[in-house]
Amino acid sequence: MGASDAPIVEKAGAPARRRGRTRVGDAVFKGMTRIVAFGLVMLLVLMIGVLAADGVRPFREFGWRFLIGRNWNPVAGRQSFGALPFIYGTVVTSTIAIVLAVPVAVGLALLLNEVARGWLANIVAVLVDLLAAIPSVVFGLWGVFVLQPAMDRTIEPFLANTVGKVPLVGPLFRANVSGGFQGGDVFTAGVILAVMIVPIVTAVGREVVSTVPRDLREAALALGSTRFEMVRMAVLPYSRSGIVGASMLGLGRALGETIAVAMVVGNSLGIHVSLFNGGYTIPAVIANEFREASSEGLHKASLLALALILIAIALMFAALSRLLVRRSAALVSGGPAPPATELARLEGAA
Amino acid sequence: MGRKGKWAVVAALSAFAVVGAACSSNSDAASGGGGGNGGGSSPFEGVAMTGAGATFPDPVYEYWFKTFQSMEPGAKINYQAIGSGGGIEQLQQKTVDFGASDAPLQSTDITGFGSTTILQFPTVLGGVAVAYNLKDVSDPLKFDGSTVADIFLGKVKSWNDPAITSLNPSVTLPDKPIQVCHRADESGTTFVFTNWLSQESPEWQSKVGADKAVQWPVGNGGNGNDGVAACISQSDGAIGYVEYQYAVTTDLGVALIKGKNSSDFVAPSVESISAAAGGLTLPIQPTTNVLNSDAPGAYPISSTTYLLVPQDLTPLGRDKAQTLVDFLYWALTKGQSLVKALNYAPLPDAVAQADLKQLDQLEFDGSTLAPSASVTS
């Protein structure tokens, strides 16, 4: 930087002073970025530390059985806490969201980059971005008053009558424990989460797809492939790692989403095979139960422990995504794709 | 250079903002103090004070404090609805002038106050309504405690279960699954409701118990009364519980509940909830309860709420002590007639009289404080 600046500076007529100032500026900039970076890391460490200070109590009380315990009983004198229903609900709702959202988002990204061009692409892109701007509590309201009734009356009974009869996956789509389809459930929560994460996965997916080198596309077309074959043989393999990264960003959002999920997930402790039963997620239980100022000590500590578990789950998925990104990057001939490493870094920071 | 100029402007603006904020908080404090100083002259003006505690009576208290200010203009009472437990804690730490709780003080709370004696004043009553959403059924349904407990235990699963049909012989009930809705957050409503279920059903008592939040055997949770109401209204065949004053503002079905020692089924209303306090005697004991009252016409799932006031008001200073006494006197007399508008139930006359008598036990410098003329006239 300084070297390339030099000739211009000399032209300006005050080389020494100018140069000195640049160096000071560089040093200040370097120092500031370091302080910010270090501060961020410290913040994470402090947060985990503060959570752990109280959050270890349930582990001390119940041992590792806290992780697999299915009770969550805050009644004085009967206190017993276990994290399993919340871990289950968090993982299942996020998984549903990813399974539903990623194909849609990848399709949208391809549509915007490969198929539609010009005004149509612009309109769709703006609409998808607008979706990202909707506050999650609005999604929650929409979920309670529009999506959930539609699910209860039409979609879930339909799924139970069709997919529910297929062996293997069928049991996932059966009537809930009370014998009907009424009430919030993990499936509805997963669908809302899917809608919420489509924009981010689409936006990142678009960037990824747009980095596929022109020669690769043209080579595929020159070999006589159709547009679909070009996408399948040239675009998708090259951007696979980036798409994995984009999905993981979406998963990160789904794991932490609180209010929209709390409004439709049912806030119920059960762990059932059918997705049409109510469930509970870690962010939802923390939001619902943390309010009363003087909760009994162990109850509060257990909520803090759940927060720790949520961080652990998120970090696990982040690590997993780095691994996936690296592996699929290695699979593409010609070494790691630039967007993949970029995303891996993003993931690591999140 | 241009950059620098911009930063300077930002810095100057933020400095102004900080100074401005400091000034405005100063002037707030000054005006509060001014009200206190003015209290010496003949019609007592009241002073600013703070209280904290129960959320259930919060709408009444806010309304009372606002109206009371027209009696004593300086009496700006700041109430924080942080929950009964928080209110007791803050009063123990003396960070507030008075507390409020939905449950009477327990022995552990009383030890927490050390040598300070706390007087508990019942102020207002509320009820918990059992609300349901059942299309095609227009007559109000009747329930007794054990049936409601069995529904919330998941033992009665269908609307045409014999347990329900036998209580409602004249109603044709559909073969629909029952969807239970309950609170997901901690709440005094849950405390009252689960206490009632525990009294009515030994099985509930042993399996679930009573508290501000419990481990629900079945059903979905909603956040707040609105959350539960949404849960009920969104599902045909749903049943849940909400505060009475909330139930009357929705179009949900509200169940009649079988009285304690009678064969009558009582609908929640301002009158039937007031009637539940018929047997209330002072001083308040840890076991004091208006649940399942055997007073005639009483709605079984009723509860009262208490203001917690230290018996010795000397540490508050004379102005604050006088304001507090005035407020209590006013709330227990004229204030009572205001609560109906908010769908809360006033205290029965006898209880309000006993409350007023307890007012005489409050001390300042060893002598009682008479309420000012502004509230007695």
Side-chain angles (χ1 to χ4, degrees):
Chain A
M1 276 279 162
S4 64
D5 276 355
I8 308 163
V9 168
E10 264 160 10
K11 252 184 217 164
R17 241 181 70 206
R18 266 295 202 169
R19 198 175 260 184
R21 273 187 54 172
T22 314
R23 290 242 170 97
V24 170
D26 273 355
V28 169
F29 180 68
K30 208 167 162 189
M32 267 168 62
T33 48
R34 283 208 178 146
I35 289 170
V36 171
F38 180 73
L40 215 65
V41 174
M42 277 311 291
L43 200 65
L44 182 68
V45 170
L46 277 175
M47 261 168 60
I48 293 180
V50 168
L51 286 177
D54 266 343
V56 294
R57 241 190 92 189
F59 288 104
R60 241 183 247 143
E61 204 100 357
F62 309 112
W64 290 104
R65 272 177 309 155
F66 177 69
L67 285 178
I68 52 163
R70 297 176 67 157
N71 279 329
W72 188 265
N73 195 341
V75 177
R78 306 183 192 199
Q79 291 202 333
S80 160
F81 297 100
L84 196 61
F86 309 106
I87 297 175
Y88 163 84
T90 308
V91 171
V92 168
T93 49
S94 301
T95 308
I96 295 171
I98 285 295
V99 168
L100 293 177
V102 168
V104 174
V106 171
L108 268 172
L110 289 175
L111 172 90
L112 295 174
N113 272 36
E114 308 293 329
V115 186
R117 295 268 169 174
W119 63 273
L120 179 62
N122 278 339
I123 291 178
V124 176
V126 166
L127 285 179
V128 172
D129 285 346
L130 274 182
L131 207 57
I134 298 177
S136 60
V137 66
V138 176
F139 273 111
L141 280 177
W142 172 73
V144 169
F145 292 110
V146 181
L147 182 64
Q148 193 188 307
M151 283 282 180
D152 292 351
R153 282 168 211 156
T154 323
I155 300 171
E156 286 175 4
F158 170 77
L159 285 175
N161 283 329
T162 50
V163 195
K165 300 214 161 77
V166 177
L168 234 62
V169 293
L172 291 175
F173 301 97
R174 302 256 164 92
N176 64 26
V177 281
S178 67
F181 298 96
Q182 303 289 341
D185 51 56
V186 290
F187 186 70
T188 310
V191 172
I192 285 216
L193 283 177
V195 178
M196 295 177 78
I197 65 174
V198 158
I200 187 170
V201 182
T202 306
V204 180
R206 250 185 106 183
E207 294 303 312
V208 168
V209 170
S210 71
T211 60
V212 176
R214 215 186 154 85
D215 1 349
L216 276 184
R217 297 167 201 262
E218 283 175 358
L221 291 173
L223 285 174
S225 50
T226 61
R227 200 188 259 168
F228 172 70
E229 283 166 337
M230 182 267 283
V231 164
R232 190 168 57 95
M233 296 190 312
V235 176
L236 283 184
Y238 188 87
S239 43
R240 191 193 295 145
S241 56
I243 290 172
V244 170
S247 315
M248 288 302 147
L249 274 180
L251 182 64
R253 174 144 192 226
L255 284 174
E257 176 49 44
T258 308
I259 191 73
V261 172
M263 287 165 87
V264 295
V265 78
N267 301 325
S268 145
L269 285 182
I271 298 177
H272 307 280
V273 179
S274 171
L275 302 175
F276 298 158
N277 282 294
Y280 222 148
T281 68
I282 295 177
V285 71
I286 294 175
N288 279 337
E289 298 191 1
F290 210 74
R291 278 212 310 238
E292 287 270 310
S294 70
S295 286
E296 197 53 38
L298 190 56
H299 186 189
K300 205 180 242 177
S302 300
L303 289 171
L304 290 170
L306 280 183
L308 275 179
I309 293 173
L310 184 63
I311 293 180
I313 293 177
L315 288 179
M316 246 165 59
F317 274 117
L320 195 73
S321 73
R322 283 200 98 145
L323 216 79
L324 275 175
V325 167
R326 222 174 264 169
R327 279 205 54 186
S328 59
L331 283 178
V332 182
S333 54
T341 38
E342 191 52 40
L343 273 162
R345 212 176 298 141
L346 262 176
E347 257 307 299
Chain B
M1 289 302 142
R3 282 265 162 85
K4 235 181 193 172
K6 223 181 254 171
W7 280 112
V9 171
V10 171
L13 279 179
S14 47
F16 266 120
V18 169
V19 172
C23 284
S24 65
S25 66
N26 270 348
S27 62
D28 262 6
S31 67
N37 294 339
S41 58
S42 50
F44 183 66
E45 296 238 310
V47 286
M49 53 197 310
T50 54
T55 47
F56 150 70
D58 184 42
V60 169
Y61 289 177
E62 293 296 343
Y63 186 49
W64 273 353
F65 297 145
K66 220 178 83 196
T67 319
F68 180 63
Q69 250 194 319
S70 64
M71 310 281 127
E72 296 186 3
K76 216 183 195 177
I77 302 179
N78 170 26
Y79 182 74
Q80 290 155 356
I82 56 171
S84 302
I88 294 170
E89 213 167 87
Q90 294 219 1
L91 187 61
Q92 283 169 343
Q93 289 158 3
K94 299 192 164 56
T95 50
V96 290
D97 300 316
F98 64 91
S101 172
D102 290 338
L105 291 178
Q106 302 302 300
S107 51
T108 48
D109 300 326
I110 294 167
T111 29
F113 279 104
S115 58
T116 315
T117 308
I118 300 293
L119 294 181
Q120 307 175 56
F121 295 88
T123 48
V124 62
L125 293 144
V128 177
V130 175
Y132 57 86
N133 172 10
L134 205 49
K135 245 191 271 167
D136 313 325
V137 176
S138 50
D139 299 327
L141 293 178
K142 296 170 181 167
F143 288 97
D144 57 16
S146 64
T147 307
V148 176
D150 284 349
I151 290 173
F152 278 81
L153 281 167
K155 285 167 69 188
V156 171
K157 291 173 187 281
S158 170
W159 281 100
N160 64 355
D161 190 285
I164 305 177
T165 50
S166 64
L167 292 170
N168 299 281
S170 57
V171 186
T172 330
L173 286 158
D175 177 19
K176 249 180 220 159
I178 299 180
Q179 170 70 44
V180 170
C181 297
H182 53 74
R183 288 287 284 262
D185 50 336
E186 291 193 346
S187 116
T189 316
T190 302
F191 183 84
V192 173
F193 184 67
T194 51
N195 263 301
W196 176 65
L197 291 181
S198 293
Q199 285 191 14
E200 293 285 323
S201 157
E203 190 177 352
W204 183 274
Q205 160 73 30
S206 68
K207 277 194 180 158
V208 184
D211 211 326
K212 285 186 291 187
V214 299
Q215 181 167 345
W216 297 94
V218 288
N220 280 355
N223 205 328
N225 282 303
D226 328 26
V228 175
C231 174
I232 301 170
S233 61
Q234 289 304 306
S235 304
D236 186 23
I239 190 167
Y241 61 93
V242 287
E243 279 171 13
Y244 165 71
Q245 60 273 18
Y246 196 87
V248 291
T249 61
T250 67
D251 50 4
L252 300 170
V254 173
L256 310 183
I257 304 293
K258 190 167 176 284
K260 167 85 168 165
N261 292 323
S262 70
S263 52
D264 290 348
F265 289 86
V266 186
S269 69
V270 166
E271 291 73 28
S272 65
I273 293 169
S274 264
L280 201 64
T281 51
L282 273 66
I284 302 300
Q285 304 295 321
T287 53
T288 298
N289 210 328
V290 302
L291 255 192
N292 257 343
S293 160
D294 43 20
Y299 180 69
I301 329 176
S302 300
S303 72
T304 182
T305 186
Y306 308 93
L307 277 178
L308 311 175
V309 182
Q311 183 172 19
D312 182 13
L313 295 175
T314 320
L316 296 184
R318 180 170 289 277
D319 284 352
K320 268 190 187 181
Q322 187 65 53
T323 307
L324 194 51
V325 170
D326 286 0
F327 169 71
L328 283 168
Y329 183 90
W330 177 84
L332 295 169
T333 51
K334 294 196 183 98
Q336 289 294 314
S337 55
L338 299 176
V339 304
K340 270 191 196 175
L342 301 170
N343 286 309
Y344 283 76
L347 298 169
D349 283 343
V351 180
Q353 288 307 317
D355 244 355
L356 284 175
K357 223 181 207 167
Q358 191 176 241
L359 213 52
D360 297 341
Q361 294 178 33
L362 291 175
E363 288 172 2
F364 185 85
D365 259 347
S367 58
T368 59
L369 276 172
S372 315
S374 55
V375 292
T376 49
S377 58

mmCIF file of all heavy atoms in Angstrom, chain B residues 356-375:
data_model
loop_
_atom_site.group_PDB
_atom_site.id
_atom_site.type_symbol
_atom_site.label_atom_id
_atom_site.label_comp_id
_atom_site.label_asym_id
_atom_site.label_seq_id
_atom_site.Cartn_x
_atom_site.Cartn_y
_atom_site.Cartn_z
ATOM 1 N N LEU B 356 -60.051 -1.659 56.454
ATOM 2 C CA LEU B 356 -59.924 -0.287 56.946
ATOM 3 C C LEU B 356 -59.502 -0.273 58.402
ATOM 4 O O LEU B 356 -58.737 0.583 58.841
ATOM 5 C CB LEU B 356 -61.248 0.461 56.773
ATOM 6 C CG LEU B 356 -61.572 0.907 55.352
ATOM 7 C CD1 LEU B 356 -62.961 1.517 55.282
ATOM 8 C CD2 LEU B 356 -60.535 1.904 54.853
ATOM 9 N N LYS B 357 -60.007 -1.259 59.144
ATOM 10 C CA LYS B 357 -59.646 -1.355 60.555
ATOM 11 C C LYS B 357 -58.154 -1.651 60.692
ATOM 12 O O LYS B 357 -57.475 -1.119 61.560
ATOM 13 C CB LYS B 357 -60.466 -2.479 61.208
ATOM 14 C CG LYS B 357 -61.019 -2.113 62.559
ATOM 15 C CD LYS B 357 -61.777 -3.285 63.100
ATOM 16 C CE LYS B 357 -62.861 -2.863 64.063
ATOM 17 N NZ LYS B 357 -63.747 -4.024 64.310
ATOM 18 N N GLN B 358 -57.665 -2.514 59.780
ATOM 19 C CA GLN B 358 -56.242 -2.873 59.813
ATOM 20 C C GLN B 358 -55.357 -1.657 59.536
ATOM 21 O O GLN B 358 -54.214 -1.588 59.953
ATOM 22 C CB GLN B 358 -55.957 -3.981 58.793
ATOM 23 C CG GLN B 358 -54.562 -4.590 58.948
ATOM 24 C CD GLN B 358 -54.299 -5.746 58.011
ATOM 25 O OE1 GLN B 358 -54.044 -6.847 58.453
ATOM 26 N NE2 GLN B 358 -54.357 -5.490 56.716
ATOM 27 N N LEU B 359 -55.935 -0.682 58.824
ATOM 28 C CA LEU B 359 -55.213 0.549 58.503
ATOM 29 C C LEU B 359 -54.739 1.253 59.777
ATOM 30 O O LEU B 359 -53.692 1.898 59.797
ATOM 31 C CB LEU B 359 -56.146 1.470 57.715
ATOM 32 C CG LEU B 359 -55.570 2.382 56.646
ATOM 33 C CD1 LEU B 359 -54.708 1.617 55.670
ATOM 34 C CD2 LEU B 359 -56.696 3.087 55.912
ATOM 35 N N ASP B 360 -55.534 1.110 60.863
ATOM 36 C CA ASP B 360 -55.181 1.759 62.123
ATOM 37 C C ASP B 360 -53.899 1.194 62.737
ATOM 38 O O ASP B 360 -53.308 1.805 63.613
ATOM 39 C CB ASP B 360 -56.321 1.614 63.142
ATOM 40 C CG ASP B 360 -57.580 2.314 62.654
ATOM 41 O OD1 ASP B 360 -57.446 3.179 61.758
ATOM 42 O OD2 ASP B 360 -58.674 1.975 63.137
ATOM 43 N N GLN B 361 -53.520 0.002 62.296
ATOM 44 C CA GLN B 361 -52.310 -0.605 62.869
ATOM 45 C C GLN B 361 -51.042 -0.019 62.286
ATOM 46 O O GLN B 361 -49.953 -0.235 62.805
ATOM 47 C CB GLN B 361 -52.311 -2.120 62.621
ATOM 48 C CG GLN B 361 -53.413 -2.863 63.364
ATOM 49 C CD GLN B 361 -53.382 -4.333 63.032
ATOM 50 O OE1 GLN B 361 -52.337 -4.909 62.802
ATOM 51 N NE2 GLN B 361 -54.557 -4.951 63.007
ATOM 52 N N LEU B 362 -51.152 0.694 61.172
ATOM 53 C CA LEU B 362 -49.961 1.324 60.594
ATOM 54 C C LEU B 362 -49.479 2.420 61.527
ATOM 55 O O LEU B 362 -50.273 3.184 62.070
ATOM 56 C CB LEU B 362 -50.290 1.914 59.216
ATOM 57 C CG LEU B 362 -50.572 0.902 58.112
ATOM 58 C CD1 LEU B 362 -51.004 1.606 56.844
ATOM 59 C CD2 LEU B 362 -49.353 0.027 57.839
ATOM 60 N N GLU B 363 -48.165 2.482 61.715
ATOM 61 C CA GLU B 363 -47.611 3.420 62.686
ATOM 62 C C GLU B 363 -46.624 4.368 62.032
ATOM 63 O O GLU B 363 -45.915 3.992 61.100
ATOM 64 C CB GLU B 363 -46.845 2.654 63.778
ATOM 65 C CG GLU B 363 -47.729 1.893 64.724
ATOM 66 C CD GLU B 363 -46.895 1.014 65.640
ATOM 67 O OE1 GLU B 363 -45.652 1.055 65.541
ATOM 68 O OE2 GLU B 363 -47.503 0.282 66.435
ATOM 69 N N PHE B 364 -46.605 5.604 62.555
ATOM 70 C CA PHE B 364 -45.513 6.512 62.205
ATOM 71 C C PHE B 364 -45.006 7.126 63.496
ATOM 72 O O PHE B 364 -45.774 7.772 64.214
ATOM 73 C CB PHE B 364 -45.993 7.606 61.241
ATOM 74 C CG PHE B 364 -44.871 8.476 60.769
ATOM 75 C CD1 PHE B 364 -44.110 8.083 59.674
ATOM 76 C CD2 PHE B 364 -44.557 9.643 61.432
ATOM 77 C CE1 PHE B 364 -43.055 8.861 59.243
ATOM 78 C CE2 PHE B 364 -43.488 10.429 60.999
ATOM 79 C CZ PHE B 364 -42.739 10.036 59.902
ATOM 80 N N ASP B 365 -43.723 6.880 63.792
ATOM 81 C CA ASP B 365 -43.144 7.372 65.047
ATOM 82 C C ASP B 365 -43.963 6.925 66.248
ATOM 83 O O ASP B 365 -44.175 7.693 67.194
ATOM 84 C CB ASP B 365 -43.056 8.911 65.019
ATOM 85 C CG ASP B 365 -41.639 9.376 64.699
ATOM 86 O OD1 ASP B 365 -40.716 8.531 64.755
ATOM 87 O OD2 ASP B 365 -41.473 10.563 64.392
ATOM 88 N N GLY B 366 -44.495 5.735 66.180
ATOM 89 C CA GLY B 366 -45.207 5.181 67.320
ATOM 90 C C GLY B 366 -46.667 5.559 67.429
ATOM 91 O O GLY B 366 -47.365 5.086 68.317
ATOM 92 N N SER B 367 -47.179 6.422 66.521
ATOM 93 C CA SER B 367 -48.595 6.740 66.599
ATOM 94 C C SER B 367 -49.253 6.489 65.241
ATOM 95 O O SER B 367 -48.580 6.406 64.215
ATOM 96 C CB SER B 367 -48.783 8.200 67.015
ATOM 97 O OG SER B 367 -48.130 9.020 66.079
ATOM 98 N N THR B 368 -50.587 6.366 65.252
ATOM 99 C CA THR B 368 -51.265 6.071 63.999
ATOM 100 C C THR B 368 -51.384 7.342 63.157
ATOM 101 O O THR B 368 -51.336 8.455 63.657
ATOM 102 C CB THR B 368 -52.687 5.522 64.258
ATOM 103 O OG1 THR B 368 -53.399 6.521 64.995
ATOM 104 C CG2 THR B 368 -52.630 4.225 65.001
ATOM 105 N N LEU B 369 -51.534 7.121 61.850
ATOM 106 C CA LEU B 369 -51.709 8.230 60.922
ATOM 107 C C LEU B 369 -53.157 8.232 60.455
ATOM 108 O O LEU B 369 -53.613 7.248 59.888
ATOM 109 C CB LEU B 369 -50.800 8.047 59.706
ATOM 110 C CG LEU B 369 -49.349 8.504 59.810
ATOM 111 C CD1 LEU B 369 -48.589 8.067 58.588
ATOM 112 C CD2 LEU B 369 -49.273 9.992 59.998
ATOM 113 N N ALA B 370 -53.864 9.319 60.670
ATOM 114 C CA ALA B 370 -55.234 9.394 60.161
ATOM 115 C C ALA B 370 -55.197 9.784 58.692
ATOM 116 O O ALA B 370 -54.353 10.584 58.285
ATOM 117 C CB ALA B 370 -56.027 10.427 60.951
ATOM 118 N N PRO B 371 -56.082 9.219 57.870
ATOM 119 C CA PRO B 371 -56.123 9.625 56.466
ATOM 120 C C PRO B 371 -56.470 11.104 56.334
ATOM 121 O O PRO B 371 -57.238 11.645 57.137
ATOM 122 C CB PRO B 371 -57.209 8.736 55.862
ATOM 123 C CG PRO B 371 -57.940 8.123 57.001
ATOM 124 C CD PRO B 371 -57.019 8.126 58.169
ATOM 125 N N SER B 372 -55.909 11.781 55.327
ATOM 126 C CA SER B 372 -56.148 13.213 55.142
ATOM 127 C C SER B 372 -57.590 13.492 54.748
ATOM 128 O O SER B 372 -58.295 12.611 54.258
ATOM 129 C CB SER B 372 -55.254 13.776 54.040
ATOM 130 O OG SER B 372 -53.967 13.310 54.169
ATOM 131 N N ALA B 373 -57.963 14.756 54.903
ATOM 132 C CA ALA B 373 -59.332 15.153 54.570
ATOM 133 C C ALA B 373 -59.633 14.963 53.086
ATOM 134 O O ALA B 373 -60.771 14.724 52.698
ATOM 135 C CB ALA B 373 -59.548 16.615 54.949
ATOM 136 N N SER B 374 -58.589 15.044 52.238
ATOM 137 C CA SER B 374 -58.831 14.963 50.802
ATOM 138 C C SER B 374 -59.428 13.625 50.398
ATOM 139 O O SER B 374 -60.120 13.540 49.382
ATOM 140 C CB SER B 374 -57.531 15.217 50.037
ATOM 141 O OG SER B 374 -56.531 14.324 50.489
ATOM 142 N N VAL B 375 -59.173 12.534 51.146
ATOM 143 C CA VAL B 375 -59.724 11.241 50.767
ATOM 144 C C VAL B 375 -60.922 10.833 51.617
ATOM 145 O O VAL B 375 -61.721 9.994 51.207
ATOM 146 C CB VAL B 375 -58.658 10.126 50.829
ATOM 147 C CG1 VAL B 375 -57.615 10.344 49.761
ATOM 148 C CG2 VAL B 375 -58.024 10.032 52.190
#
